[in-house]
């Protein structure tokens, strides 16, 4: 059934893309006025990070609304790839070309290359369609790209680490440039360290695509469980998934480059899926929400909350610790979800604001605008440079901003018409007959207990791997509790030395790892601090006042290394012995201090092994890492949740014979 278009959501998406543009424009309203209200309004309109969260929520909503039932997983993923990758590949290739030795420095040359690439895609695709009577070319192209993506992933997992030293690729610049290109265009950069994405806005594409890939296998089964088991179970599932995402964000910060994924921000997708599922079903809960939010006062309250969450991103969230950021964007996701509810309901203030035609137009071209704006902005600056001396600083800034915006919208519209629109044209071609569609709709996503068990084991394997740490696989690993509470807690080492008793789990104790973070900006400390903070690490054998090992380093070295390792000469006979780990900070200030996480399992010890042990007893390494993952409270919670949900899904599937359409 054709879904009606929700124009207010187009407007909300357009607002988000415009906000990201303003955040990168470099314009400062204080150049024209010192009125605080104007500065506050502009800063609230130009919030990039929280506006990306809006896009995540909208993405989750639209998946649940448009794809409540997936008749073909292959067709679903093909559609998502066809929507995401063509224009992304054009812009990625363009950025790579203009960044290769500054061959083209003039704005009109750059613009010609960008639009030329888009025109080649447009003409090439339309030309091939004339000879593609069976409509097979798109399928072939998808499989070729999928195989290429998988090959790049394997290369980045196996080969790239061997040519990487200290997170830097040790290869000629041209080779590195090519690796950056193919890793970026395939969105495999989170799987390897030392590769930078070609644009700072591309980071959000990886979680978006991985959400699409996981959607049929994880999200839809969870939605089905929720529909069959009622509101209470649904709420518990949402809470459990939210906790797991927050926990994973911390757990994987040392694995490959997954920290750049910002896993916790995927809660935006979850909030969107919840609202999209409720709206798609139009059940009792949705009718109640519609009654509540149709009230003008409720709409105004939600709108004020939306403004507050946008403003809070630069007044409250900016510069805070990662755990604060994760909680902020969790709250933000649900405020945005309420905004989406109000935007859907006709007649609300939010529906009227975001249905403005200018915003819905920006929503139509928002994807291209988001991807290309920070490359068009320098072109506009180059255009305006010869004329800026004719204006005062304030007026010149306004004129330049207007040129930036006009040029960005124009280029984005051309990219939309030349590349993105090809996707919307292809949607009119049906890939299944009506009979085949009905037949597939009656087929459940997974069938039988073997499928449920296999799916559950696959998810379990991934979770255990993520919680096994980013440590060398040949080392044994053990968790040690710093305190007994399950509540995350941090302490400053500025005035509070940390002493933790541990019992060595194995022989050959070699490394102690603690969860640490630097309070502020390390680069600023290096440049300005005359007497920067010093961090002392000492390892004592219990009952001995003389340390076995000491090491000293600057506190700012902790930045970027949340799981900070302290290595020392291997202690061969360490098994069962008791030690004291001590961390002490000297000097420093509020901005130059180290913060320690004293949550359970935040201290890890690593133990080296002989080559013989590794070769002849590999199962012991696997067993050790499995127990290591399960000894982490968060890892144990995730594993328990997966086992419970898999069992619940299997039982509910047996009790409720799947029908083509499930009730609300």
């Amino acid at each position: 059934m054709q879904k009606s278009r929700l124009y207010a959501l187009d407007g909300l998406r357009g607002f988000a893309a415009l906000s990201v543009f303003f955040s990168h424009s470099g314009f400062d309203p204080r150049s024209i006025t010192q009125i605080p209200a104007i500065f506050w309004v502009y800063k609230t309109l130009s919030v990039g990070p929280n506006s990306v969260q809006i896009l995540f929520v909208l993405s989750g909503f639209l998946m649940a609304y448009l794809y409540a039932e997936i008749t073909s997983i292959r067709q679903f993923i093909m559609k998502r790839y066809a929507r995401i990758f063509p224009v992304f590949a054009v812009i990625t290739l363009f950025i790579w070309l203009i960044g290769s030795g500054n061959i083209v420095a003039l704005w009109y040359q750059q613009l010609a290359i960008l639009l030329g690439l888009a025109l080649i895609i447009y003409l090439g695709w339309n030309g091939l369609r004339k000879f593609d009577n069976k409509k097979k070319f798109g399928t072939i192209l998808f499989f070729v790209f999928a195989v290429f993506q998988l090959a790049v992933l394997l290369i980045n997992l196996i080969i790239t680490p061997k040519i990487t030293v200290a997170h830097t690729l040790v290869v000629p610049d041209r080779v590195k440039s090519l690796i950056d290109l193919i890793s970026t265009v395939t969105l495999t950069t989170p799987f390897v360290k030392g590769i930078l994405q070609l644009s700072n806005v591309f980071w959000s594409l990886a979680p978006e695509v991985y959400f699409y890939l996981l959607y049929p296998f994880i999200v839809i089964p969870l939605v089905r469980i929720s529909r069959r088991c009622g509101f209470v179970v649904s709420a518990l599932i949402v809470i459990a998934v939210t906790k797991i995402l927050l926990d994973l964000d911390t757990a994987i910060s040392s694995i490959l480059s997954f920290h750049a994924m910002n896993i916790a921000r995927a809660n935006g997708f979850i909030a969107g899926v919840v609202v999209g599922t409720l709206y798609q079903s139009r059940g009792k809960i949705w009718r109640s929400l519609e009654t509540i939010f149709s009230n003008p006062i409720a709409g105004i309250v939600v709108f004020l909350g939306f403004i507050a969450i946008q403003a809070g991103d630069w007044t409250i969230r900016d510069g805070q610790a990662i755990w604060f950021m994760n909680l902020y964007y969790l709250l933000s996701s649900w405020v945005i979800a309420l905004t989406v509810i109000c935007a859907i309901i006709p007649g609300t203030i939010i529906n009227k604001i975001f249905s403005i035609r200018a915003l819905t137009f920006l929503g139509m071209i928002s994807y291209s605008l988001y991807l290309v704006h920070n490359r068009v902005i320098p072109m506009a600056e180059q255009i305006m440079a010869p004329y800026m001396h004719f204006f005062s600083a304030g007026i010149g800034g306004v004129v330049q901003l207007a040129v930036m915006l006009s040029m960005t919208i124009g280029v984005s519209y051309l990219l939309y018409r030349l590349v993105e629109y090809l996707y919307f044209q292809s949607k009119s071609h049906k890939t299944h007959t009506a009979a085949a569609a009905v037949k597939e709709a009656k087929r459940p996503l997974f069938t039988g207990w073997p499928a449920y068990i296999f799916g559950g084991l696959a998810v379990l394997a991934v979770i255990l791997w993520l919680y096994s740490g980013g440590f060398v696989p040949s080392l044994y690993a053990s968790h040690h509790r710093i305190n007994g509470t399950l509540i995350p807690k941090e302490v400053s080492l500025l005035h509070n030395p940390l002493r933790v008793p541990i019992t060595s789990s194995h022989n050959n104790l070699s490394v102690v790892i603690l969860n640490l973070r630097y309070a502020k900006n390390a680069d600023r400390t290096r440049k300005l601090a005359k007497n920067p903070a010093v961090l002392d690490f000492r390892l004592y054998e219990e009952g001995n006042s003389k340390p076995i090992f000491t090491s000293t380093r600057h506190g700012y070295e902790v930045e970027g290394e949340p799981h900070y390792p302290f290595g020392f000469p291997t202690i061969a006979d360490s098994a069962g012995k008791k030690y004291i780990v001590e961390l002490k900070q000297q000097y420093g200030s509020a901005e130059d201090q180290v913060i320690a996480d004293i949550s359970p399992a935040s201290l890890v010890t690593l133990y080296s092994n002989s080559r013989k042990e590794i070769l002849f007893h590999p199962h012991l390494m696997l067993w050790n890492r499995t127990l290591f993952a399960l000894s982490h409270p968060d890892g144990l919670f995730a594993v328990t949740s997966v086992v419970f949900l898999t069992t619940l899904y299997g039982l509910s599937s047996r009790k409720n014979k799947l029908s083509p359409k499930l009730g609300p």
Side-chain angles (χ1 to χ4, degrees):
M1 185 179 72
Q2 185 70 30
K3 302 287 186 180
S4 59
R5 193 171 186 90
L6 302 172
Y7 288 100
L9 298 190
D10 286 338
L12 184 57
R13 188 185 301 105
F15 168 83
L18 186 65
S19 182
V20 174
F21 164 84
F22 282 137
S23 72
H24 293 148
S25 68
F27 176 70
D28 188 346
R30 288 173 295 192
S31 63
I32 56 174
T33 179
Q34 296 299 315
I35 299 175
I38 293 178
F39 173 76
W40 186 90
V41 169
Y42 181 80
K43 285 289 290 183
T44 302
L45 287 173
S46 59
V47 177
N50 200 65
S51 295
V52 173
Q53 203 65 14
I54 296 174
L55 300 176
F56 286 165
V57 175
L58 288 173
S59 180
F61 172 87
L62 290 172
M63 287 301 98
Y65 173 53
L66 298 175
Y67 299 101
E69 296 294 331
I70 293 178
T71 58
S72 169
I73 293 174
R74 178 174 65 85
Q75 289 294 326
F76 169 77
I77 294 176
M78 282 178 60
K79 286 181 180 180
R80 293 296 88 207
Y81 268 46
R83 177 71 183 98
I84 293 292
F85 279 103
V87 70
F88 173 62
V90 166
I91 294 171
T92 300
L93 183 57
F94 160 70
I95 294 172
W96 181 75
L97 287 172
I98 66 171
S100 301
N102 291 323
I103 299 173
V104 282
L106 299 175
W107 69 269
Y108 54 84
Q109 293 173 315
Q110 296 181 19
L111 188 59
I113 290 175
L114 174 60
L115 297 181
L117 290 171
L119 191 60
I120 289 171
I121 296 293
Y122 176 81
L123 295 175
W125 181 258
N126 282 307
L128 287 168
R129 284 179 61 186
K130 293 179 181 179
F131 302 99
D132 185 25
N133 296 325
K134 295 184 178 181
K135 310 298 180 187
K136 295 290 186 181
F137 180 74
T139 302
I140 294 171
L141 188 62
F142 164 75
F143 280 110
V144 169
F145 181 80
V147 170
F148 175 64
Q149 189 179 36
L150 180 60
V152 173
L153 173 61
L154 292 175
I155 290 170
N156 279 338
L157 285 173
I158 299 170
I159 299 176
T160 306
K162 299 182 185 302
I163 56 175
T164 303
V165 177
H167 301 176
T168 303
L169 291 173
V170 187
V171 292
D173 289 343
R174 290 189 178 183
V175 176
K176 183 182 184 306
S177 176
L178 186 61
I179 293 174
D180 287 343
L181 170 65
I182 63 174
S183 298
T184 298
V185 81
T186 55
L187 293 175
T188 57
T189 51
F191 292 90
V192 63
K193 292 183 178 180
I195 295 179
L196 297 177
Q197 298 199 59
L198 296 180
S199 172
N200 63 344
V201 301
F202 287 174
W203 72 268
S204 64
L205 268 291
E208 185 92 15
V209 169
Y210 299 149
F211 168 67
Y212 296 149
L213 293 174
L214 295 173
Y215 183 79
F217 305 104
I218 294 179
V219 179
I220 284 185
L222 288 177
V223 170
R224 286 178 175 173
I225 294 173
S226 299
R227 286 180 166 180
R228 293 168 188 157
C229 298
F231 174 78
V232 174
V233 172
S234 301
L236 291 175
I237 289 174
V238 171
I239 293 170
V241 171
T242 298
K243 173 177 167 51
I244 290 171
L245 289 173
L246 290 170
D247 295 341
L248 280 176
D249 194 85
T250 301
I252 67 176
S253 57
S254 63
I255 300 177
L256 305 176
S257 289
F258 283 166
H259 64 278
M261 287 277 288
N262 296 300
I263 296 294
R265 295 188 66 171
N267 278 305
F269 296 122
I270 303 304
V273 167
V274 170
V275 176
T277 301
L278 292 173
Y279 181 65
Q280 193 275 337
S281 66
R282 307 292 210 287
K284 183 178 179 181
I285 295 177
W286 176 259
R287 292 192 294 270
S288 299
L289 291 173
E290 202 168 26
T291 301
I292 293 170
F293 291 105
S294 294
N295 187 305
I297 296 177
I300 292 172
V301 170
V302 172
F303 184 60
L304 292 176
F306 177 76
I307 294 173
I309 209 71
Q310 285 286 106
D313 198 31
W314 66 273
T315 57
I316 300 173
R317 194 278 314 164
D318 193 28
Q320 297 293 334
I322 186 71
W323 66 268
F324 184 92
M325 182 185 84
N326 290 341
L327 293 177
Y328 186 87
Y329 287 126
L330 172 61
L331 173 63
S332 168
S333 297
W334 288 100
V335 172
I336 295 166
L338 294 178
T339 306
V340 169
I341 293 173
C342 289
I344 295 170
I345 300 172
T348 65
I349 183 173
I350 292 176
N351 175 268
K352 292 177 180 178
I353 290 172
F354 291 114
S355 295
I356 295 172
R357 183 166 296 183
L359 287 178
T360 59
F361 171 77
L362 291 176
M364 179 183 70
I365 64 171
S366 60
Y367 183 48
S368 288
L369 193 154
Y370 176 80
L371 292 179
V372 83
H373 72 276
N374 62 350
R375 294 298 166 177
V376 178
I377 286 173
M379 296 184 200
E381 289 175 334
Q382 196 178 116
I383 292 172
M384 287 298 299
Y387 309 105
M388 291 299 288
H389 66 277
F390 291 115
F391 305 100
S392 64
I395 299 300
V398 173
V399 173
Q400 182 168 271
L401 180 65
V403 173
M404 288 177 183
L405 182 58
S406 302
M407 192 170 175
T408 299
I409 292 174
V411 171
S412 301
Y413 180 73
L414 290 173
L415 288 172
Y416 170 80
R417 294 297 303 182
L418 292 174
V419 184
E420 285 192 77
Y421 197 66
L422 297 173
Y423 164 77
F424 296 107
Q425 285 181 317
S426 67
K427 285 176 69 176
S428 61
H429 297 284
K430 296 182 179 180
T431 56
H432 287 70
T433 63
V438 170
K439 183 179 178 181
E440 274 199 272
K442 292 180 179 180
R443 186 185 306 154
L445 194 60
F446 301 110
T447 57
W449 276 104
Y452 307 145
I453 293 172
F454 176 79
L457 288 176
V459 176
L460 277 177
V462 172
I463 288 176
L464 289 173
W465 173 64
L466 292 174
Y467 276 101
S468 68
F471 317 123
V472 178
S474 60
L475 299 176
Y476 285 139
S478 294
H479 278 125
H480 301 272
R481 287 178 179 267
I482 293 181
N483 67 16
T485 69
L486 295 177
I487 301 174
K489 185 177 180 181
E490 293 185 322
V491 297
S492 168
L493 299 181
L494 182 59
H495 303 296
N496 305 285
L498 184 66
R499 286 178 61 87
V500 186
I502 63 170
T503 300
S504 180
S505 305
H506 306 276
N507 283 324
N508 300 319
L509 176 62
S510 302
V511 181
V512 170
I513 292 176
L514 292 107
N515 286 2
L516 305 173
R517 68 175 178 86
Y518 190 61
K520 294 294 182 179
N521 185 277
D523 187 57
R524 178 180 174 85
T525 301
R526 278 191 293 265
K527 291 177 180 177
L528 302 179
K530 295 180 180 179
N531 194 23
V534 172
L535 188 63
D536 291 330
F537 169 83
R538 292 185 176 88
L539 182 67
Y540 298 87
E541 191 167 353
E542 191 176 67
N544 196 332
S545 60
K546 184 178 180 180
I548 301 172
F549 178 81
T550 64
S551 68
T552 301
R553 62 211 64 200
H554 286 115
Y556 57 71
E557 294 178 46
V558 167
E559 186 175 69
E561 295 282 351
H563 302 307
Y564 200 85
F566 297 92
F568 41 83
T570 298
I571 304 174
D573 58 344
S574 57
K577 290 186 176 180
K578 297 182 182 296
Y579 298 93
I580 302 292
V581 174
E582 182 183 84
L583 273 183
K584 186 176 182 180
Q585 178 177 320
Q586 301 181 50
Y587 320 121
S589 63
E591 294 192 352
D592 179 23
Q593 62 173 317
V594 175
I595 312 295
D597 177 4
I598 60 170
S599 302
S602 60
L603 188 151
V604 174
T605 50
L606 299 180
Y607 308 83
S608 59
N609 287 286
S610 65
R611 182 173 297 181
K612 181 180 178 180
E613 182 82 5
I614 297 168
L615 290 175
F616 293 101
H617 302 93
H619 63 283
L620 294 177
M621 314 301 298
L622 180 62
W623 180 244
N624 170 257
R625 288 306 173 89
T626 301
L627 292 179
F628 176 79
L630 293 175
S631 67
H632 195 298
D634 299 336
L636 185 60
F637 177 84
V639 168
T640 305
S641 298
V642 170
V643 172
F644 175 76
L645 290 173
T646 302
T647 305
L648 189 62
Y649 184 73
L651 291 173
S652 63
S653 295
R654 292 189 66 183
K655 291 179 180 178
N656 301 277
K657 301 298 183 182
L658 288 176
S659 58
K661 184 175 181 180
L662 296 168

